[in-house]
Amino acid sequence: MRLGDLNGKDIINLSKGVKLGIVGNCDLLIDENSGKIEYLLIPSKRSRFFSLGEKNYMRISWNSIRKIGPDAVILDVDDFNLER
């Protein structure tokens, strides 16, 4: 799967059943040495753009992804593992 194929998919948290955002609005944190994606950086609902105002985002480990479907990316993250 290409990174562009993820664009526009909803990000759903399985443990809470809530939509966290859309992949196209996220940034990725990539390890410079290995080239692997480490985290999804999802902007909080208070700040739509990273460049304006405070940089409020949720940092979610790439390992939290359980399934990538045709319309959504399903995560399994509880409140304790969700970094803000």
Side-chain angles (χ1 to χ4, degrees), residues 14-69:
L14 182 63
S15 68
K16 295 281 187 177
V18 296
K19 179 178 171 181
L20 298 176
I22 298 174
V23 175
N25 295 339
C26 297
D27 280 335
L28 301 174
L29 187 63
I30 300 173
D31 184 299
E32 294 176 7
N33 298 322
S34 67
K36 293 183 179 182
I37 299 171
E38 293 185 344
Y39 294 97
L40 278 171
L41 301 176
I42 303 172
S44 69
K45 293 180 182 175
R46 288 180 273 146
S47 173
R48 290 185 174 209
F49 303 102
F50 286 116
S51 60
L52 300 175
E54 286 186 34
K55 296 181 180 181
N56 297 319
Y57 58 87
M58 293 177 283
R59 183 174 161 174
I60 299 175
S61 172
W62 187 255
N63 295 329
S64 298
I65 295 176
R66 295 295 167 244
K67 183 76 174 173
I68 299 174

